[in-house]
Amino acid sequence: MRTIFGLLLLVLGLFKYAFAQEGFCSAPSESKSKPLYWKVDNPTLSPIHLQDLPGFTRSVYKSNHALISPESHVYGPLPDWINTLGTYLISPEMGSHFVMYLAKLKENSKSGLPLPGVERFIFVLQGAVTLTNATGVSQLLKVDSYAYFPPNFEHSIECDAPATIVLIERRYSPLPNHIPEPLVGSTDKQSLLETPGEIFELRKLIPTSLAYDFNIHIMDFQPGEFFNVKEVHYNQHGLLLLEGQGIYRLGDSWYPVQAGDVIWMAPFVPQWYAALGKTRTRYFIYKDANRSPL
């Protein structure tokens, strides 16, 4: 009983410290001087805050959803990548038809290629990377920039200084007479789209044409904003919280979430979000599209 009571005191002390510093209901005063998306790798409740709580994690895995928090990340070498460590956060083993993973590129690093028939989307979280295609044409991608590669498209991702990217990969589902093209862009160049009945801000990073079988949305919520619709649909989601904090409903469970958290949502799981704190929430979310569920 004393052991359990002591553990409870530790947990309460941890959350008291986090709230007092920069927790779920407050924002750090120095955040304006920090790089964009710095919280993804430096969450308020980071692994270092949990080192005195053996066995504690906010991560949850259920049959229709999962929350993967940063203290649970396990990094290892990525196949065919050079000087790069990765952690797979969403994969078919949990029920998804796509993978989401983080790649930490070190100095003089280089990517491998996806498997045959697999398309790839990358989004830069920290640092900068250079993309090079089969013809030798190169482009520099900085934070908040992205690229899409159709299946079997020759390319490399390289950098000479540390960088972090998030990747989505899935086996492409072709449609006759519709061929996807490679894309390079940045979030700030995408226009805001109408969201009837909602107040959040929405940008789509991939064209909505039938050639593409998924999309990536960037969604912004100001503190106190929330979904009006409690969504239940056939699409799967893979979400990375880039900034902010809030409450996510998944099925019958309600989870405090913060920058750096990853969420997988299976088809038809009830889902809802409300933003808390003093700064905006921004998240990156995968959604399959333009294909029949049959």
Side-chain angles (χ1 to χ4, degrees):
M1 180 66 71
R2 290 181 179 178
T3 302
I4 295 174
F5 182 70
L7 183 60
L8 286 173
L9 287 177
L10 280 172
V11 173
L12 290 172
L14 169 69
F15 275 86
K16 182 179 179 181
Y17 169 79
F19 288 172
Q21 299 298 313
E22 46 186 87
F24 286 110
C25 295
S26 64
S29 59
E30 75 277 16
S31 62
K32 290 183 179 180
S33 63
K34 298 291 186 179
L36 193 64
Y37 308 148
W38 74 282
K39 274 284 193 178
V40 172
D41 265 352
N42 299 276
T44 300
L45 289 179
S46 66
I48 194 171
H49 295 140
L50 305 176
Q51 62 186 358
D52 294 328
L53 292 175
F56 178 81
T57 180
R58 293 187 299 111
S59 293
V60 174
Y61 170 68
K62 296 187 178 183
S63 61
N64 61 3
H65 70 270
L67 168 64
I68 310 298
S69 51
E71 74 276 0
S72 302
H73 293 181
V74 178
Y75 282 88
L78 293 172
D80 299 323
W81 291 59
I82 299 172
N83 291 335
T84 303
L85 295 177
T87 179
Y88 288 95
L89 302 171
I90 299 174
S91 73
E93 285 77 8
M94 65 171 47
S96 71
H97 54 227
F98 65 97
V99 296
M100 174 189 282
Y101 60 103
L102 294 176
K104 290 183 176 292
L105 295 90
K106 304 177 184 179
E107 292 181 2
N108 303 314
S109 57
K110 185 176 181 179
S111 67
L113 289 171
L115 295 173
V118 171
E119 55 193 332
R120 169 183 281 174
F121 184 94
I122 74 166
F123 185 90
V124 182
L125 298 172
Q126 292 183 1
V129 301
T130 299
L131 304 181
T132 305
N133 64 24
T135 65
V137 176
S138 296
Q139 290 178 277
L140 182 68
L141 265 64
K142 298 182 180 181
V143 173
D144 216 27
S145 299
Y146 61 87
Y148 166 81
F149 305 105
N152 309 316
F153 184 83
E154 292 283 339
H155 67 278
S156 67
I157 305 164
E158 302 176 68
C159 63
D160 54 13
T164 302
I165 59 177
V166 58
L167 299 95
I168 297 287
E169 293 177 359
R170 60 166 283 168
R171 194 161 297 280
Y172 181 64
S173 178
L175 283 180
N177 304 316
H178 293 280
I179 307 297
E181 297 291 334
L183 303 167
V184 174
S186 61
T187 301
D188 61 352
K189 295 297 190 340
Q190 304 307 310
S191 58
L192 289 173
L193 303 176
E194 292 186 5
T195 55
E198 300 286 0
I199 55 176
F200 60 82
E201 294 183 343
L202 169 66
R203 294 173 174 87
K204 296 186 179 183
L205 305 188
I206 295 179
T208 57
S209 63
L210 292 178
Y212 301 92
D213 58 0
F214 74 91
N215 214 309
I216 300 294
H217 297 179
I218 299 294
M219 301 175 67
D220 293 341
F221 297 78
Q222 296 304 316
E225 294 182 349
F226 54 85
F227 278 123
N228 285 319
V229 175
K230 279 61 73 179
E231 293 188 339
V232 178
H233 50 62
Y234 81 91
N235 313 83
Q236 291 197 33
H237 284 316
L239 181 154
L240 170 62
L241 205 67
L242 298 172
E243 296 179 325
Q245 56 204 23
I247 297 292
Y248 227 108
R249 176 188 174 177
L250 299 167
D252 294 327
S253 301
W254 302 73
Y255 300 102
V257 293
Q258 62 171 353
D261 287 349
V262 166
I263 297 174
W264 169 64
M265 294 172 247
F268 297 105
V269 62
Q271 55 197 255
W272 179 86
Y273 180 71
L276 303 177
K278 297 181 180 179
T279 60
R280 74 172 180 185
T281 287
R282 167 169 282 189
Y283 59 67
F284 165 108
I285 184 167
Y286 161 95
K287 181 178 183 178
D288 47 291
N290 297 326
R291 300 295 185 267
S292 168
L294 292 176

